[in-house]
């Protein structure tokens, strides 16, 4: 099963799930004691990697009025609150600014100078090189989704959205650090995927998450080449995260930081502009200083979930990483020994 003390999962639970090992590559994991009604898959759902094309957020599930609009990373001006809702609006930008300062100091990153929610081209560095594009048909094919490397005992695991891995695995590859048609860190063949059976059967938006296991390349694992971030579950909703992904109209990744909002008990929401088709599966990363290289962060979500990532390029969603994601992660660890 593997030494769970060496796994990259941050969780307070100890539930484990065994994963059957049929001759085919895909693994569906039985879940236990789940009392949720699945969200039925829309017959008109987009193809893998595509997001909904409507440019409006649904009014029924709109952001609560007490949550503030998009904040900036400039020091907030002091303002006297006039009501409880206003008090939250005046303190949240200050908190974001202080967190950004703390992150810059903790990670050695440059102090952000742009507004929260505004993307820019991701730099080519060790942290962003753990994020890569998913292709069909090899490097000469089309990149259609994003994934990232997560820590595991076998060192061969990536996480993405489940809707990015629908269908067979044989023609899908992961290219970390992809830029301008080049694969400086290799082209990694997907050998197996693990997804929730309620996603497979019904497109349950609460578990639009999947793990893929990669074949070795030149005798090395992907984690040996690029490093990895950890997976965390049940971390709540109050985080400042950085999201790096590959729009399908570009051969360079974009990155954006902002505060996470609670959309529902099982969904998270974030404002970052320009996250179009191709960015599904992009990791929601809390930067950190962990791991052997001192720059290991924590993944708490991936673009997906509600409407497979959202109605608009400027607002994205993620399934909340709960114990159901922990079950998938442990099942992927069990299966990784046979890759």
């Amino acid at each position: 099963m593997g030494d769970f003390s060496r796994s990259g999962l941050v969780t307070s639970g100890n539930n484990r799930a065994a994963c059957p090992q049929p001759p085919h590559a895909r693994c569906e994991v039985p879940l236990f004691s789940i009392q949720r009604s699945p969200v039925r898959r829309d017959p008109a759902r987009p193809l893998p990697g595509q997001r909904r094309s409507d440019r409006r957020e649904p009014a029924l599930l709109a952001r609560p009025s007490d949550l503030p609009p998009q904040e900036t990373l400039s020091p907030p001006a002091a303002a006297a609150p006039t009501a409880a809702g206003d008090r939250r609006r005046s303190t949240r930008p200050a908190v974001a600014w202080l967190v950004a300062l703390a992150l810059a100091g903790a990670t050695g990153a440059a102090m952000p100078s742009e507004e929260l929610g505004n993307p820019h081209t991701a730099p080519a560095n060790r942290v962003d090189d753990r994020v890569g594009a998913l292709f069909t048909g090899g490097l000469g094919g089309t990149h259609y989704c994003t994934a990232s490397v997560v820590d595991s005992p076998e060192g061969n695991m990536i996480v993405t959205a489940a809707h990015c891995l629908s269908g067979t695995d044989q023609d899908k590859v992961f290219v970390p650090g992809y830029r301008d048609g080049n694969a400086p860190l290799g082209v990694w063949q997907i050998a197996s995927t693990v997804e929730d059976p309620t996603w497979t059967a019904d497109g349950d938006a609460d578990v639009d998450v999947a793990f893929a296991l990669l074949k070795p390349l030149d005798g090395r694992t992907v984690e040996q080449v690029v490093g990895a971030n950890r997976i965390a579950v049940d971390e709540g909703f109050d985080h400042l995260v950085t999201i790096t992904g590959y729009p399908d109209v570009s051969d360079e990744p974009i990155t954006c930081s902002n505060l996470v909002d609670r959309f529902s008990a099982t969904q998270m929401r974030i404002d970052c502009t320009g996250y179009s088709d191709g960015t599904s599966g992009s990791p929601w990363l809390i930067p950190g200083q962990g791991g052997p290289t001192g720059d290991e962060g924590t993944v708490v979500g991936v673009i997906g979930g509600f409407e497979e990532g959202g109605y608009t390029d400027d607002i994205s969603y993620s399934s909340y990483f709960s114990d159901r994601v922990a079950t998938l992660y442990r099942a992927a660890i069990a299966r990784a020994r046979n890759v």
Side-chain angles (χ1 to χ4, degrees), residues 41 83 223 264 309:
R41 188 184 307 215
E223 189 168 340
S264 72

Side-chain angles (χ1 to χ4, degrees), residues 195-218:
E195 63 186 37
D196 190 293
T198 62
W199 166 264
T200 306
D202 296 307
D204 186 349
D206 291 347
V207 280
D208 187 6
V209 182
F211 294 94
L213 306 173
L214 307 178
K215 295 179 181 179
L217 183 63
D218 298 328

Side-chain angles (χ1 to χ4, degrees), residues 82-167:
T82 58
D86 292 333
R87 188 175 302 113
R88 182 174 181 181
R89 289 173 186 270
S90 65
T91 58
R92 187 171 166 120
V95 170
W97 176 251
L98 291 173
V99 170
L101 282 172
L103 285 176
T107 63
M111 180 60 212
S113 59
E114 301 184 17
E115 291 183 348
L116 285 171
N118 286 348
H120 58 274
T121 300
N125 59 32
R126 193 166 53 197
V127 173
D128 288 320
D129 282 347
R130 294 169 190 156
V131 181
L134 290 175
F135 283 76
T136 55
L139 189 61
T142 302
H143 69 86
Y144 67 94
C145 266
T146 302
S148 63
V149 182
V150 291
D151 188 33
S152 67
E154 300 297 329
N156 61 350
M157 192 182 300
I158 59 174
V159 66
T160 187
H163 72 263
C164 290
L165 295 178
S166 300

Side-chain angles (χ1 to χ4, degrees), residues 255-268:
T255 191
C256 170
S257 298
N258 210 343
L259 296 157
V260 174
D261 287 333
R262 174 180 172 137
F263 185 59
S264 72
T266 56
Q267 298 285 327
M268 300 184 290

Side-chain angles (χ1 to χ4, degrees), residues 180-252:
D180 299 322
N182 299 313
L185 300 167
V187 178
W188 301 78
Q189 178 70 47
I190 293 178
S192 180
T193 62
V194 179
E195 63 186 37
D196 190 293
T198 62
W199 166 264
T200 306
D202 296 307
D204 186 349
D206 291 347
V207 280
D208 187 6
V209 182
F211 294 94
L213 306 173
L214 307 178
K215 295 179 181 179
L217 183 63
D218 298 328
R220 304 181 72 191
T221 68
V222 69
E223 189 168 340
Q224 288 174 326
V225 174
V226 304
N229 295 306
R230 298 182 301 164
I231 285 282
V233 299
D234 290 324
E235 289 290 294
F237 296 86
D238 295 328
H239 302 291
L240 177 64
V241 302
T242 297
I243 302 177
T244 302
Y246 287 83
D248 61 5
V249 296
S250 173
D251 279 340
E252 289 186 318

